[in-house]
Every structure is written in C-alpha cells, then in structure tokens.
Amino acid sequence: MQELLLEIAEAAAGSPDKGNVATYIPELAGVDPDQFGIAVALEDGRLLTAGDADVPFSIQSVSKVFALALALGRVGDQLWYRVGREPSGLSFDSILLLEREDGIPRNPFINAGALVTTDTYLAESNPREALGELLRFIRAAADDDSIHINERVAQSEIATGHRNFSLAHYLASHGNMRSAVDKVLGTYCHQCAIEMTCRQLALAGRFLIDADDMPPLVAVQRRRRINALMMTCGHYDGSGDFAFRVGLPGKSGVGGGILVISPGRASIAVWSPGLNRYGNSKLGTEAMETFAKRMGWSVFG
Ligand code: DON
C-alpha cells in the first residue's frame, strides 16, 4: 500500500491538468495548486502517507461531517425535521430547491443544510463555546490537540459570503433558523476554516470506520447513516460520479480535501487544491479512483 501511495503522489505531481483552485473565498485563491497529499489511517492504528500529507489546508465542507455528528449528538433524530436526506442534484450553494421545499434543505452537506446543522449545534450557546465543542470533537477523534481554525480564512469568507447569508436569511424566513443569521454565519465560516493536514484528517475520520482502539464517538447506527449521506450527498451534484468511480463514501471541500471512508478498513484523506466542475478536488478524486480500484475496496462488494 505504501508503494501504491507513492505511485499515486508521483502521478499527481506529473499531471498536466490539476483543475482550478477556488477563488470565491479570496484567502483560498492564493493556494499553490501544485500540492498533493494522501494519508491512510488503517483500522488497526497504522498510518501511511505520501506527498504533502503534513501540509495544513482549509478543510471547508469536509467540516460538515463533524458538524453533523455533533448536531446529531445534541438533538438526535429531531434534526431530520429541519433537514432532509436526499441528494439535491444541484451545486453546493444552490438556493433553487429551498423555495419549492418550504425552507427544508435537501441534506446536511449542501450549504443550506449545513447552516441548519450549525444552527443546531450552536443551539443556545455562543459561537465560541460551540466552536470549542466542535474542535474538541475533532481533536479527540484525531487525538491531536493542535488542530485549529484559520481566522484569516474565516474572515475572508464572512466578508464575501453573500450567497451563504442569502441562504441563511431564506431559511430564517421559513422559521428554520433558531439563532440570529449573523451568529450562525460566523460560526459556520469558522467551522469551514478549520485547518488540518491529510494525516490529521485521516486520523479524525477513524470514528467512521469502526476501529478497535477508537473511543466510541458515535453509535453504530449513526456512523452508518453518516456514511450513507457521504455516499449519496458528499460530493453534491458529483456524488453519483464519485460513487461510480470510487465506490466509497466521501466528503469533499472547496479547499481541495476529501475524506473517504472504507467501512471496517480505513479512513483516507486526500488533498489537491485544484477542483473539477462540481467543486470537488480533481486530482483527489482521480487518486481515490486509482487507490480504491488497486486495493479492491468498494462498499458495493
Ligand atoms: O460555504 C462555503 O461556500 C464554503 N465554506 C464551503 C463550501 C465547500 O467546501 C463546498 N465543497 N466542495
């Protein structure tokens, strides 16, 4: 497996088309697209890496997996009255279906749904406390207290997040926001601005694979459901394509990171900042396609 990872990192370095770095968050626009990292945290505790696996990147929407786990921990199945469990078939920041579907977002991974998730774990507490709790969850999962939020990235997104503010106001107009829009947006943007390396992210994802030595951060059924949502909704309108090509649940972020789970086997983090047309890491997806195929790993047997 180590040789395969080195081979994949080498192929990525030589790739002529690395996709396009996200520019709508100004602080992310300057990230060097020639970076690629991959880390595999195995069920038995071993960790293998290749490339820039120790370079921190903005996890962005990958944070929605941890936020969902935290929100479910707070309110359990009550969450599903406020957000659905179906793929949207639209881009991550689309507002289209919200009008037709009375302010109930399709799933917790599109931005509208993630804003509801953030509002749920924010609950009555203040953003600092809520983010502290989210960081504690991620740090416990990764067993790494150095994981932090990049304040510059958070401010950059707050300053330019007109579309997310629109989504939040639209949700509020349907009575699907408990806290003030500014408070929810501030918390959401800080959540997305968490920085992690591939090594840290792969370790943090181990709570979704049923590893022997992990503290049980979520119950079995909840872990399975989060994986199901990652498979069906984790790549937005590219989710079907990711399932077809990789065959494993995954969650992407516009920072170019992807967290992929092979249930019972491994948690994998891959990162390459250039994105494809769906806003998911281009080389990250290609790397996972090669990795899953060569390992023979798929949830489809
Ligand atoms: O809300 C946003 O637009 C970003 N903070 C996160 C979007 C994102 O990562 C979409 N993923 N591919």
Side-chain angles (χ1 to χ4, degrees), residues 271-294:
W271 169 57
S272 169
L275 309 178
N276 61 22
R277 67 194 172 96
Y278 301 116
N280 305 316
S281 175
K282 180 175 184 292
L283 294 189
T285 306
E286 289 170 14
M288 278 316 305
E289 186 175 9
T290 304
F291 181 80
K293 187 170 167 204
R294 293 274 291 276

Side-chain angles (χ1 to χ4, degrees), residues 108-217:
F109 292 151
I110 51 172
N111 285 9
L115 288 164
V116 170
T117 308
T118 300
D119 185 47
T120 302
Y121 78 72
L122 182 55
E124 306 302 313
S125 63
N126 65 50
R128 193 175 289 274
E129 273 173 41
L131 288 164
E133 204 180 323
L134 181 68
L135 275 177
R136 266 195 300 284
F137 182 95
I138 296 175
R139 286 170 175 170
D143 192 21
D144 187 333
D145 282 346
S146 71
I147 294 165
H148 61 274
I149 292 169
N150 183 322
E151 187 60 35
R152 281 198 329 273
V153 173
Q155 293 305 332
S156 178
E157 188 169 350
I158 291 169
T160 56
H162 304 300
R163 200 175 282 227
N164 282 331
F165 274 92
S166 312
L167 289 169
H169 280 293
Y170 203 84
L171 290 163
S173 77
H174 278 277
N176 201 2
M177 281 275 102
R178 303 285 184 269
S179 292
V181 162
D182 284 7
K183 205 165 129 181
V184 176
L185 253 296
T187 310
Y188 170 79
C189 292
H190 280 81
Q191 165 198 312
C192 291
I194 292 172
E195 251 173 28
M196 288 168 89
T197 65
C198 286
R199 180 188 299 271
Q200 290 169 327
L201 184 57
L203 288 170
R206 288 180 79 238
F207 81 100
L208 292 172
I209 62 169
D210 186 24
D212 286 344
D213 60 330
M214 278 295 288
L217 287 175

Side-chain angles (χ1 to χ4, degrees), residues 15 30 62 78 105 125 132 134 139 172 204 208 254 257 297:
S15 175
V62 183
Q78 297 289 319
S125 63
L134 181 68
R139 286 170 175 170
L208 292 172
V254 289
W297 288 0

